[in-house]
Amino acid sequence: MTHSQPASSSPSALDLTADCSRCAALCCVAYPFEEDEDFAILKEADHPCPNLSQSCFDCTIHADLNSRGFGGCIAYSCAGAGQRVTQVLFAGETWRDDPDLLPHMTHALRVLRPIHEALLILREASNLDLPQDIRHALNGLMTTLAVADGTTIWAFEEAEVQEALASVPDFVPRLAPYVRKDPAI
């Protein structure tokens, strides 16, 4: 399998769009489901969804997710973390190829997804007309979170990366004065 992006990608080149065809259905395995309005069943973390095909990584009810009670699946996006875990961190190997990989791959998804979500927010913010000090801070956060040499989960668990991730909620409000309101709203 090919990599979703080179390990040395810059933050602006990083693929932050989910590409299920390059993933190992990690979202269908990693997260628990609570039987409620978002999920029609109860499922434990690190267990495959019973709707996941046994022969491939496709959802057997994908065309009917909403009517079958799986609106949570429709709303979910990994922001490209799934294919980065599968293709970069695990070099295209999957938990079906080697079941011992399952807890490692799902842990990696749970670590990378919030990083990718933060990068999506910061990438959007990079389009704002910002003063130099805020632009510098933004670029620093993006560079740290992108983990240019991230080919193992440990790189994403480094204190510097986790501290940058933890700082995003405090950083984002600093951008508010530079967001232009759409006159149509």
Side-chain angles (χ1 to χ4, degrees):
M1 291 191 166
T2 61
H3 293 288
S4 61
Q5 66 272 327
S8 62
S9 290
S10 71
S12 61
L14 196 60
D15 186 0
L16 300 176
T17 304
D19 181 353
C20 300
S21 71
R22 301 177 75 194
C23 182
L26 296 179
C27 62
C28 303
V29 180
Y31 299 107
F33 298 168
E34 291 292 327
E35 191 173 355
D36 59 17
E37 67 274 359
D38 291 327
F39 295 101
I41 61 170
L42 179 67
K43 182 189 91 62
E44 294 180 33
D46 293 347
H47 287 83
C49 175
N51 298 313
L52 189 61
S53 170
Q54 295 296 314
S55 62
C56 62
F57 294 112
D58 291 338
C59 175
T60 60
I61 64 165
H62 193 267
D64 301 313
L65 284 170
N66 201 36
S67 65
R68 301 280 296 266
F70 288 86
C73 297
I74 295 167
Y76 178 85
S77 173
C78 71
Q83 70 256 22
R84 191 173 188 190
V85 169
T86 303
Q87 300 300 326
V88 178
L89 272 60
F90 288 88
E93 291 186 65
T94 73
W95 54 271
R96 283 212 170 128
D97 298 331
D98 180 354
D100 291 338
L101 293 179
L102 188 136
H104 305 289
M105 294 184 84
T106 58
H107 171 75
L109 179 67
R110 289 188 292 265
V111 171
L112 265 70
R113 181 178 177 225
I115 292 170
H116 276 227
E117 288 176 335
L119 282 165
L120 270 174
I121 293 165
L122 297 173
R123 181 181 287 169
E124 187 66 28
S126 71
N127 294 317
L128 298 172
D129 186 18
L130 300 171
Q132 186 175 356
D133 62 326
I134 294 178
R135 169 88 45 210
H136 180 72
L138 174 75
N139 290 340
L141 283 172
M142 289 181 68
T143 299
T144 301
L145 290 171
V147 189
D149 59 348
T151 57
T152 69
I153 188 60
W154 299 293
F156 297 91
E157 292 177 320
E158 288 286 334
E160 178 184 24
V161 176
Q162 291 302 307
E163 288 166 9
L165 179 61
S167 74
V168 171
D170 291 328
F171 177 75
V172 169
R174 293 177 56 195
L175 303 170
Y178 310 100
V179 177
R180 294 193 178 135
K181 285 202 167 221
D182 184 344
I185 296 178

